[in-house]
Amino acid sequence: MTRLRRAGLAPDRGPLAVAAEGPGGLRLLALDPEARALGLRPGEPLGRVRARIGVPLQVHPADSESDRAALLRLCRWAEGYAPVVAPFGAAEAADGFYIDVAGASHLRGGEEPLVDDLAGRLARSNIPARIALADTPGGAFALACYGASDRVIVPPGGAEPALRALPVEALRLDPGTVSGLRRLGLRRVGEVDALARGPLARRFGEALLLRLDQAMGRRPEPLAPLTEEAAYRAARGFLDPIGRQSDIVVTARLLMAEIAPRLERDGIGACGLRLVLHRVDGVMRVLDLGLSRPERCPERVAALVSLRLDRLGAGLDAGFGFETVTLTVTVTGALSARQTELGAAPQGDGIDALADALAQRLGRPLLRLGARASHIPERAAHPRPWTSDPTPWPDHLPPRPLVLFPRGEAALDVLSTVPEGPPRRFRWRARIHAIVHAEGPERIAAEWWHAPGAARDYYRVECEAGRRLWLYRDGPHAPGRPAAWFVHGVFA
Amino acid sequence: MGLDPANQTGRASATGSPRERLASLRARLAGPGGPAAARPVLPLGLTAIDAHLPGGGLALGPPHEIAPMEPADAIAALGFTLALCAAQLARTQGAALIAAAPNQPLPHGHGLAGLGLDPGRLLLLEAGGDAEVFRALEAALHARALPVLIGLLADGLPLKPGRRLQLAAEAGSEGAAPPLVLILRPPQAGLPNGAATRWSIASAPATRDRFGTLDNPRWRARLERCRNGRGGDWLLEWDHAAHRLRLPEPLARDAAAAGRSRA
């Protein structure tokens, strides 16, 4: 609401409301004092409200992203008071922030002048605020939202009596818990606190006790302060927008050269990079580059950017050109100086470069065959990223086919001479296979902890043409049940 | 003035014995624009076959085309390809890259032991199509990081990508030996291209060990085309322990009978 008024999107006078899609259509989310004076409450359906009140009501759609951005701007501003500023999360309705003033209040001459100063500045900026200062974040939140006045300062150790008189909503509980407590006649924090903890936890879960203890200061509540902006970032603006691929590549190289000393100083390299191209008309193009190994060489980064732009081709759509190019290191990894082997090219270096080149040029990762501990053949192998260590392969397995099908392909028209033995002849892939040699069976049981299934009897067979197949019968032989045969793989 | 002008002029080979002159002519014909120096090769270890191949083995660098004789032999052709890959990996360090078009049969890690190939030395790239396979192989040829490159194609190797691969093989960095490039394509897609050799592979009954069980795989390999060499047709046996191809022993041609007689 304040954001709308400050941005000039809403008139300064007249009842104003923000509505969002809720159960059963649009519902009111926030109201200004004038709208509140009309008897409106958040959560009411907008249609009913419009029908009830006679005066025109200004309604704006909710925009949680802009609200969040505005809150973060305010938090940044509030960092002037103390370094640890944490915006409210979802549990606190995301409409305020905490300032941890411990050890910082003396800079403003004590706690009271600090709160006065904060309130004064916010009021001058037309931001309505309720401020509370207490021992714990939970206590401060409760007093700010449900306290007696706009400005509450609780002396150290005095939070508990002040909190006892507050309604249970002040504990940052979910609505279900609140209504449950009210149904039991528990309206005040003090009444809840006086009860035995065991039954309370059983009835309402751990969350209630956690919130209670956090407010009372019996359990610590760490704040999640605003994260710092990425330290490894470089940007370059252009008077004349650039639009040619070579220019972008050169810019990327220069930006990386700017970042590289900072990375080197900290002993790290970039594993992930983000190149943001700001087009003149405000469109942003974001290229995310992943590297297989920490890297800080500008030339290699430029080569990868070039490959990526190659792949994008016309998809980049430079339009009237890019006016700003930003390079940010999004993922870092330790990269210490290495001694290179004299004379010989170190093993694996070339593969790194190749893997990155393929990833940028084709957008496809390089994989490595990996073993998995499973008896079921189709589960026993799966590809992994090539950077992972080679998995140990069991060396005591009976022969396995060179190519394994993801699932067995049915062998039809099976003719066997011995009912429990391998087939003599069958049709598979529109071709009759006459078996001249068979080895087996190798029985592989199903993994009951994944999915129940029948054990399979595998046979290695060679047909007249010399093709070697891996056949299995689904389930052991049983009289009266026709055997189902499947081809699961082909040997070299 | 030199006593032996042949050593000082560039026409040294031209004035040598007819055999040398023939060799120099062959070398000049071998690669258009390429250096006429002796090319590194992968000898197959079988004089019967190596004599058919220029330089005494599969040339490293230019692509070699391998196709199954009929669609059902696709796995046999893959086996032959991976056997050549294993032979080259046994001689060098590093890993092999398999760039595969979609829906091509990929090797099963546990089955590679049967060819004597370490699955840890295989890298896999699942490309979106033949064009991406060519681009990947070209990038790998330029990088010179891998000793073996294998492309599994869905539509065959046309002239232009084949020529590009050959140029990439020649343009690679100095010093490092070019990799062995193997292209596996479906049987019906025989296109004119710059491949150094073209093999056609069919499966053949495997050898039996002395207990009559299946042992080494065998393939019927036909060398259909070979630039500066001769074609041929052989029954080949892959010895996975020694990493080499063998010709079946004449006495053991009927392997099952041989196994019985020895038992």
Side-chain angles (χ1 to χ4, degrees):
Chain A
M1 191 126 337
T2 308
R3 175 176 63 77
L4 291 172
R5 287 232 158 104
R6 278 170 62 89
L9 296 173
D12 285 348
R13 315 204 134 266
L16 179 70
V18 174
E21 200 68 41
L26 286 175
R27 281 173 185 271
L28 297 184
L29 200 72
L31 302 161
D32 75 340
E34 277 183 67
R36 246 178 237 278
L38 289 171
L40 304 184
R41 291 286 167 266
E44 277 185 285
L46 183 62
R48 201 189 301 164
V49 167
R50 278 202 196 280
R52 202 180 67 195
I53 64 169
V55 283
L57 176 69
Q58 281 268 336
V59 181
H60 281 265
D63 182 355
S64 58
E65 278 182 29
S66 303
D67 287 345
R68 185 79 189 159
L71 178 62
L72 290 181
R73 278 202 303 279
L74 202 57
C75 290
R76 288 266 172 246
W77 169 80
E79 278 181 339
Y81 286 96
V84 178
V85 175
F88 281 4
E92 295 116 347
D95 58 355
F97 53 88
Y98 299 111
I99 308 178
D100 185 357
V101 296
S105 52
H106 68 277
L107 296 172
R108 305 264 169 185
E111 290 177 350
E112 215 158 324
L114 185 145
V115 171
D116 285 344
D117 184 60
L118 181 61
R121 281 170 191 268
L122 287 173
R124 280 199 292 282
S125 308
N126 274 336
I127 300 175
R130 295 172 67 90
I131 304 167
L133 201 154
D135 295 346
T136 59
F141 172 84
L143 289 166
C145 293
Y146 297 92
S149 78
D150 291 6
R151 241 178 276 178
V152 184
I153 297 179
V154 178
E160 231 179 286
L163 288 174
R164 282 181 185 281
L166 295 181
V168 286
E169 286 94 335
L171 287 177
R172 296 177 286 173
L173 303 170
D174 61 286
T177 311
V178 170
S179 62
L181 286 169
R182 284 195 175 276
R183 226 177 299 132
L184 295 180
L186 300 167
R187 290 170 192 285
R188 303 275 156 204
V189 175
E191 293 163 12
V192 178
D193 196 29
L195 290 180
R197 296 169 64 86
L200 214 52
R202 272 202 298 283
R203 175 75 176 77
F204 295 106
E206 260 310 298
L208 171 61
L209 292 182
L210 175 73
R211 287 308 195 189
L212 189 63
D213 289 350
Q214 281 178 345
M216 297 297 189
R218 293 176 208 138
R219 262 193 250 187
E221 182 183 359
L223 291 178
L226 282 184
T227 44
E228 277 298 308
E229 296 253 336
Y232 306 109
R233 169 206 286 268
R236 191 157 290 215
F238 300 95
L239 231 51
D240 241 359
I242 58 169
R244 286 197 326 196
Q245 179 172 339
S246 56
D247 293 341
I248 298 173
V249 172
V250 167
T251 311
R253 184 165 59 79
L254 294 175
L255 293 175
M256 191 62 203
E258 206 176 314
I259 300 174
R262 281 182 258 162
L263 291 170
E264 195 168 359
R265 182 195 61 205
D266 296 348
I268 56 178
C271 290
L273 288 163
R274 172 170 293 174
L275 187 74
V276 183
L277 305 165
H278 298 263
R279 219 162 68 180
V280 176
D281 53 359
V283 176
M284 273 191 348
R285 297 280 162 192
V286 180
L287 307 181
D288 275 311
L289 307 166
L291 289 95
S292 58
R293 214 175 52 177
E295 184 62 62
R296 52 181 179 236
C297 170
E299 280 71 29
R300 272 201 59 193
V301 170
L304 293 181
V305 169
S306 172
L307 288 175
R308 169 58 71 86
L309 293 174
D310 273 349
R311 174 153 68 94
L312 281 177
L316 184 67
D317 187 16
F320 293 110
F322 300 104
E323 55 181 356
T324 308
V325 178
T326 321
L327 185 72
T328 313
V329 178
T330 49
V331 187
T332 58
L335 173 62
S336 47
R338 279 176 314 161
Q339 173 140 20
T340 52
E341 217 171 303
L342 197 63
Q347 193 78 86
D349 267 14
I351 304 182
D352 282 340
L354 177 64
D356 286 345
L358 292 176
Q360 303 310 330
R361 189 194 284 254
L362 305 178
R364 297 188 190 276
L366 205 53
L367 302 173
R368 174 193 288 291
L369 300 170
R372 194 152 54 175
S374 174
H375 301 299
I376 305 293
E378 64 265 29
R379 288 180 48 84
H382 75 130
R384 300 142 53 87
W386 81 273
T387 40
S388 53
D389 294 328
T391 42
W393 291 81
D395 51 358
H396 52 269
L397 275 184
R400 289 281 180 260
L402 180 64
V403 170
L404 187 81
F405 304 132
R407 58 173 58 84
E409 298 181 3
L412 305 169
D413 304 343
V414 179
L415 181 76
S416 308
T417 45
V418 194
E420 68 270 25
R424 303 297 303 171
R425 219 162 64 109
F426 60 89
R427 191 157 56 81
W428 172 63
R429 288 195 178 172
R431 181 190 286 266
I432 298 288
H433 294 265
I435 303 303
V436 295
H437 180 90
E439 288 173 18
E442 179 193 351
R443 178 161 292 184
I444 298 180
E447 291 178 331
W448 52 263
W449 54 96
H450 284 302
R456 303 173 185 166
D457 283 346
Y458 278 91
Y459 288 88
R460 198 149 68 113
V461 301
E462 187 174 77
C463 66
E464 272 179 342
R467 301 191 183 98
R468 289 166 292 282
L469 307 176
W470 211 35
L471 274 182
Y472 73 86
R473 184 183 52 218
D474 205 15
H477 167 73
R481 193 177 72 95
W485 288 90
F486 297 90
V487 180
H488 203 180
V490 184
F491 290 89
Chain B
M1 298 302 284
L3 293 170
D4 188 359
N7 280 346
Q8 294 175 0
T9 63
R11 296 166 63 237
S13 50
T15 55
S17 67
R19 191 181 286 270
E20 285 170 25
R21 278 162 66 181
L22 193 59
S24 84
L25 276 174
R26 278 217 177 107
R28 277 166 67 181
L29 284 172
R39 291 274 187 79
V41 294
L42 166 70
L44 297 182
L46 293 168
T47 43
I49 300 178
D50 286 342
H52 287 241
L53 299 166
L58 291 177
L60 302 183
H64 298 277
E65 197 182 5
I66 298 167
M69 275 187 200
E70 50 182 304
D73 290 323
I75 313 292
L78 178 66
F80 179 72
T81 309
L82 290 172
L84 294 180
C85 165
Q88 169 74 350
L89 284 183
R91 299 190 331 144
T92 56
Q93 289 201 323
L97 171 72
I98 299 181
N103 301 325
Q104 296 304 303
L106 293 175
H108 175 56
H110 293 279
L112 292 170
L115 293 173
L117 195 54
D118 176 10
R121 294 179 72 181
L122 280 189
L123 301 174
L124 200 61
L125 183 86
E126 289 173 334
D130 279 7
E132 283 194 6
V133 172
F134 296 137
R135 294 172 75 184
L137 292 182
E138 224 178 294
L141 271 169
H142 281 294
R144 285 286 156 90
L146 302 166
V148 185
L149 307 174
I150 299 174
L152 308 184
L153 300 182
D155 292 331
L157 178 68
L159 184 58
K160 207 168 141 190
R163 187 83 187 101
R164 284 184 67 105
L165 286 181
Q166 203 179 347
L167 288 175
E170 285 165 9
S173 64
E174 293 295 315
L180 177 68
V181 183
L182 303 169
I183 302 285
L184 186 61
R185 63 156 174 87
Q188 67 280 3
L191 303 165
N193 53 40
T197 61
R198 177 184 294 177
W199 296 84
S200 181
I201 306 294
S203 44
T207 57
R208 304 286 196 271
D209 66 4
R210 52 176 306 187
F211 303 108
T213 56
L214 297 171
D215 198 11
N216 289 332
R218 271 190 194 167
W219 304 291
R220 177 153 294 285
R222 195 160 67 211
L223 182 54
E224 287 183 338
R225 260 202 44 195
C226 176
R227 204 196 297 149
N228 308 320
R230 286 174 293 149
D233 197 344
W234 302 276
L235 185 65
L236 293 176
E237 180 183 327
W238 174 249
D239 183 346
H240 68 263
H243 291 112
R244 61 184 290 265
L245 288 164
R246 277 203 310 234
L247 291 175
E249 298 162 39
L251 284 176
R253 181 150 291 162
D254 184 0
R260 266 200 301 279
S261 69
R262 259 184 279 164

